[in-house]
Amino acid sequence: MSGAVISRVELAAAHDGDAELNVTLQYENGGQTLVALDEYAVRVLMDSCGASTPDGLIGQGWHHVRDALEAASNRFVNSNSTQQ
Amino acid sequence: MPVEQLSRVRKSILPQVGDDWSHIASRELPDLSEKDAIASLQSWNLHVYMRAAARMGTGSNNILPSDVIFVEPPLAHG
Amino acid sequence: MYDLVIRNGKVVDGSGLPAFKADVAVMGNRIVKIGQVPEAAREEINAEGKIVAPGFIDPHTHFDAQLLWDGCAKPALAHGVTTIVPGNCSLSLAPLKAKHRMKLVGMFNQIEEMPLKAFKEGVVWDWETFSEYITRIRKGLAINVAPLVGHSVIRLWVMNEAATERTATDAEIAEMQSVLRECLDAGAAGLSTSYVDMDEKLLPVPSRYADAREVEALASVLGEYGRVLQIVPEFYDSDLTIARLDQLAELSLKYNIPTTFSPLFMNADNVDAVNRVMARVDEQFARGARVWPQVQTRPIDISFSFSVPSLLFMRFPTWYKIMRFGTPDEISAFFSDSENRVKLIAEAAPLQGLWPTLVLRHVETDANQKYVGKTLKEIAELRNTTPVEAMMDLSVEEGLEAHFLSAGMGHNDDAKVAGLLNHPRVHIGASDGGAHILSFSTYGDTGYLFSHFVRDLNLMTVESAVKKITSDTAAIWGIPERGMLKEGMIADIAVFDPSTIARGEEKFVNDVPGDGHRYVRDSHGVDTVIVGGGIAWSEAKGYQDARGEVLPGVREMVAA
Ligand SMILES: [Zn+2]
């Protein structure tokens, strides 16, 4: 069972000009990966971790990140409206 | 330089027809329980959750045919 | 008697060798002499103090729609760009069945922010096949176009709705192969695919539903023609980028094709990751594969207004909370309340260095237009207040539609970015010209290369910068007879002043059909741009000759 946890959070510039949050996950073997979250996903992540500041995310488990990303992605699935 | 001489990078696979998390788990991580294997795979492949795979597959199978699926954690560097 | 002579300039010929003083003579569409040219010409350009270089080639653009109403791809041509590659990221405007038009318009709206109205008012839909699209854009073409065909579009043509539902059958893959062959025969410069882009519903584009078998089948067709495969990898993750470039390397080796992936960004927090990607690129090149990473010259800016919550404020709980939960009226009221302001100002204090540098880029009211383009420091001085308060006041006055820009927030470590730009196995590109039109300007990256990395920082020579965006690009993309100033080559030429060339200030203009807007940057320090021997643009007279061609095919012009 993987025990990856959030080890670092940093504000970054997404290539489309929005601010995004780079979340670094640290795995048990010492390997790291970086996941970028948009504003919506960050909101879900902070809520699910009960964090009030970005630094409050540190030490939280990877599944919070998975679920936040999934929630952020799924918000588009049932919207039939074409963007204009 | 022959392919065998390329330096080691993080091991990944491309999904086969009909693959979902549990198929990949049993094929690639046979020594782990299904639950642990799926959790490991998902923790190594958070990019799969960065978009929905609407209109494809069912339920929780959100893997797209074009996805790269890592079958180990990121390598520890330096 | 020559048609055109450019006199007294310093020739930077695209080879990377040192600049030299010479005249350049043109007959018809070709360079016929470089050296001393005593003979007269019908047209003469005095390039004293200027550099005479091959026209620049921009290998990653989305000008597909704009080319339908603007054969100059403005303002790219004025920046010295004489060849553009549209059709990147799996999206082109052909081949396209009539019934799929509105879906594709939606995808272009998502990627390019090209408004629906522009398509309605700027476009007569008189094409379906790639060949018909080429015929269509050839009329009035002033810039050269080396168009990619998009994998998502081919998939849509063959599979219809199933393009975003499943993998393709053998029969469908065979049909995609023959459609790709038709496109290549009609002049496509290669194929683009994407593992990242989203469609009009913010769901994955059709190419992301393809398995590796389908991509390989299409690559094998590219092999028959020796044409390029462009991909967008999951660039935010180095392991994924490496996995994709390994896939590209196998295709490149198996089918002898050039491949390129874009973008690749260098940020403070991913230096090791980019180094790993580049180490892998080096290894794959050592095997004989061609896997060109594209790196853009310009840094990434962040823009925001208080009408949409921005993570820029997430470390300031009071700011972020009101952005997240307040209605526009509540936010305005909050900013106007003197007690709240004290709190907001105190909270923003840790970023004292940032606020004065923010630029006001867009307002709605006439009264505040005079501040657009100014920094908050400048505006605060004019209004006798502080930068943070000016930001709040302007937002209230504009009903929250005051838009601010924080420049250079990403891809901003000059020394490291220059290291990449100078790297022999890095392809300078990824401008995304013609995309994101309502968010920021994607024009002028070549001016920025010369002003910033060559002139101001001295991190690149002008000769190597020119080579990188001319002869290297032509060689990578298999574009013959262009990219170098040499006798016999086609005369695509940029004449510019090395002491003033730059990208202009970003500005919001109203030049998109259907009363649409976009961000652009005017060219600075570019004197004359020649395409196919004709003056396509000059600082003195603006846009002129239209001798653009569809590349890599070369059509001979009859000398005047
Ligand atoms: Zn693109």
Side-chain angles (χ1 to χ4, degrees):
Chain A
M1 181 77 185
S2 173
V5 295
I6 296 174
S7 61
R8 202 160 69 123
V9 292
E10 203 153 1
L11 184 75
H15 100 291
D16 61 1
D18 282 337
E20 62 183 9
L21 192 71
N22 281 349
V23 170
T24 304
L25 283 162
Q26 169 109 22
Y27 294 78
E28 286 149 323
N29 66 339
Q32 292 188 338
T33 195
L34 196 141
V35 183
L37 283 80
D38 67 9
E39 201 273 336
Y40 185 99
V42 169
R43 238 190 284 174
V44 177
L45 180 62
M46 305 251 303
D47 289 348
S48 89
C49 294
S52 54
T53 65
D55 295 331
L57 296 170
I58 290 172
Q60 298 284 348
W62 67 272
H63 56 275
H64 290 288
V65 179
R66 176 195 62 192
D67 295 347
L69 289 170
E70 187 166 38
S73 301
N74 281 341
R75 74 191 193 269
F76 302 118
V77 173
N78 296 316
S79 72
N80 291 318
S81 63
T82 301
Q83 299 252 319
Q84 166 33 46
Chain B
M1 184 193 283
V3 67
E4 312 79 58
Q5 282 175 23
L6 283 169
S7 58
R8 168 157 149 69
V9 291
R10 189 177 175 195
K11 208 173 145 211
S12 63
I13 58 133
L14 297 171
Q16 298 175 7
V17 182
D19 261 355
D20 59 15
W21 292 113
S22 117
H23 282 119
I24 299 173
S26 59
R27 190 170 65 237
E28 301 293 334
L29 304 171
D31 298 339
L32 296 183
S33 74
E34 186 183 23
K35 186 166 161 278
D36 286 354
I38 290 177
S40 294
L41 281 174
Q42 292 183 347
S43 78
W44 302 333
N45 290 284
L46 291 168
H47 58 281
V48 169
Y49 293 90
M50 290 177 70
R51 77 289 176 285
R55 296 169 294 212
M56 177 122 200
T58 48
S60 63
N61 184 22
N62 51 351
I63 296 169
L64 286 175
S66 65
D67 280 333
V68 164
I69 303 294
F70 292 112
V71 293
E72 63 179 6
L75 305 180
H77 298 283
Chain C
M1 175 84 123
Y2 294 111
D3 288 330
L4 176 69
V5 175
I6 305 162
R7 296 194 189 281
N8 310 317
K10 254 178 141 180
V11 174
V12 175
D13 66 6
S15 67
L17 295 173
F20 57 91
K21 196 103 195 196
D23 302 332
V24 176
V26 173
M27 269 299 254
N29 64 345
R30 290 192 187 267
I31 297 166
V32 290
K33 193 168 180 192
I34 298 179
Q36 200 175 55
V37 180
E39 299 93 331
R42 268 181 265 276
E43 188 125 32
E44 308 230 345
I45 294 167
N46 181 8
E48 183 75 49
K50 307 213 165 61
I51 281 175
V52 183
F56 313 141
I57 306 175
D58 188 339
H60 187 123
T61 81
H62 295 275
F63 282 112
D64 307 70
Q66 195 180 324
L67 286 171
L68 293 167
W69 57 78
D70 169 19
C72 303
K74 291 172 194 165
L77 189 53
H79 282 280
V81 174
T82 54
T83 299
I84 51 171
V85 178
N88 278 276
C89 305
S90 93
L91 293 180
S92 53
L93 278 179
L96 180 66
K97 290 174 182 163
K99 64 179 173 184
H100 296 140
R101 280 172 187 158
M102 283 309 113
K103 167 153 181 84
L104 203 69
V105 163
M107 296 207 297
F108 269 83
N109 176 242
Q110 172 56 30
I111 275 217
E112 300 190 4
E113 300 174 56
M114 187 60 76
L116 204 58
K117 236 178 139 205
F119 283 97
K120 285 207 175 119
E121 297 184 18
V123 177
V124 180
W125 293 90
D126 53 3
W127 76 92
E128 286 204 346
T129 65
F130 201 81
S131 153
E132 288 164 354
Y133 173 76
I134 293 298
T135 303
R136 172 60 197 282
I137 62 165
R138 251 196 187 123
K139 288 175 209 149
L141 199 58
I143 198 164
N144 300 312
V145 177
L148 291 167
V149 57
H151 182 189
S152 286
V153 184
I154 291 184
R155 213 164 198 269
L156 195 59
W157 176 278
V158 171
M159 295 176 68
N160 301 299
E161 294 75 46
T164 47
E165 286 167 357
R166 57 171 174 82
T167 51
T169 63
D170 288 348
E172 286 164 340
I173 290 178
E175 197 184 337
M176 282 187 238
Q177 288 182 300
S178 65
V179 172
L180 175 57
R181 263 185 215 104
E182 271 173 42
C183 297
L184 294 166
D185 285 335
L191 176 77
S192 69
T193 195
S194 170
Y195 298 99
V196 168
D197 285 284
M198 296 296 197
D199 72 3
E200 76 284 6
K201 292 179 177 155
L202 293 167
L203 296 171
V205 290
S207 66
R208 300 178 68 181
Y209 292 78
D211 56 12
R213 190 174 65 112
E214 178 179 326
V215 176
E216 168 148 9
L218 295 172
S220 78
V221 173
L222 293 173
E224 296 164 18
Y225 294 75
R227 296 279 162 85
V228 181
L229 175 61
Q230 181 264 346
I231 73 155
V232 186
E234 295 89 336
F235 54 87
Y236 47 82
D237 182 297
S238 56
D239 285 340
L240 283 165
T241 304
I242 287 171
R244 294 297 180 201
L245 83 86
D246 280 0
Q247 280 178 291
L248 285 181
E250 294 311 318
L251 296 173
S252 174
L253 288 168
K254 189 160 176 189
Y255 299 107
N256 283 317
I257 52 170
T259 69
T260 178
F261 62 95
S262 52
L264 179 66
F265 294 118
M266 177 68 101
N267 293 317
D269 60 1
N270 77 343
V271 176
D272 293 344
V274 171
N275 288 340
R276 274 200 300 282
V277 170
M278 285 312 301
R280 192 61 165 191
V281 166
D282 291 347
E283 285 187 16
Q284 293 292 9
F285 267 97
R287 294 175 71 205
R290 285 172 281 171
V291 284
W292 291 98
Q294 277 186 46
V295 176
Q296 72 180 46
T297 65
R298 69 168 185 271
I300 303 173
D301 306 332
I302 291 182
S303 51
F304 67 92
S305 72
F306 288 96
S307 59
V308 179
S310 169
L311 290 174
L312 194 59
F313 291 86
M314 76 171 300
R315 286 185 190 278
F316 308 130
T318 313
W319 290 86
Y320 190 48
K321 202 166 147 201
I322 187 66
M323 279 178 105
R324 260 182 75 173
F325 299 112
T327 64
D329 286 346
E330 286 165 351
I331 297 173
S332 289
F334 199 88
F335 282 174
S336 306
D337 177 86
S338 56
E339 242 173 77
N340 290 333
R341 283 171 82 100
V342 173
K343 204 170 163 194
L344 289 166
I345 292 163
E347 212 174 85
L351 284 189
Q352 265 175 35
L354 176 74
W355 310 117
T357 67
L358 296 186
V359 174
L360 179 68
R361 63 201 308 245
H362 177 73
V363 291
E364 308 264 293
T365 69
D366 289 340
N368 285 327
Q369 291 297 339
K370 58 179 180 284
Y371 300 123
V372 171
K374 291 192 161 49
T375 62
L376 282 181
K377 179 175 189 279
E378 293 165 330
I379 297 169
E381 276 162 13
L382 290 167
R383 294 172 65 126
N384 207 8
T385 181
T386 65
V388 172
E389 287 177 282
M391 179 169 72
M392 288 190 273
D393 292 340
L394 286 164
S395 297
V396 173
E397 289 160 24
E398 296 296 325
L400 303 189
E401 290 303 328
H403 291 247
F404 304 94
L405 178 121
S406 176
M409 296 290 283
H411 196 57
N412 54 356
D413 184 325
D414 287 327
K416 294 205 169 68
V417 172
L420 275 183
L421 298 176
N422 271 312
H423 194 293
R425 283 167 297 284
V426 161
H427 185 15
I428 295 184
S431 80
D432 248 357
H436 307 290
I437 63 170
L438 293 171
S439 296
F440 48 86
S441 165
T442 50
Y443 321 97
D445 281 18
T446 47
Y448 187 75
L449 174 68
F450 292 111
S451 70
H452 193 66
F453 291 102
V454 175
R455 187 173 65 232
D456 295 348
L457 300 176
N458 228 335
L459 292 171
M460 247 180 140
T461 65
V462 70
E463 288 89 349
S464 61
V466 166
K467 175 176 185 281
K468 277 285 193 182
I469 58 173
T470 58
S471 66
D472 278 7
T473 317
I476 291 166
W477 286 79
I479 297 171
E481 303 188 278
R482 300 180 197 248
M484 286 257 261
L485 298 186
K486 243 163 74 173
E487 287 169 21
M489 299 284 271
I490 294 184
D492 289 351
I493 302 170
V495 181
F496 64 91
D497 184 336
S499 65
T500 59
I501 188 169
R503 59 175 190 176
E505 291 298 321
E506 193 164 66
K507 58 181 194 180
F508 201 54
V509 299
N510 176 349
D511 71 349
V512 176
D515 203 26
H517 289 74
R518 61 175 180 151
Y519 283 105
V520 298
R521 290 177 189 271
D522 289 338
S523 81
H524 266 257
V526 177
D527 181 274
T528 309
V529 183
I530 293 160
V531 174
I535 297 179
W537 182 88
S538 73
E539 200 177 12
K541 292 190 192 160
Y543 294 95
Q544 298 163 59
D545 292 356
R547 296 196 192 178
E549 294 184 45
V550 175
L551 305 177
V554 172
R555 244 178 336 147
E556 271 305 327
M557 289 219 8
V558 182

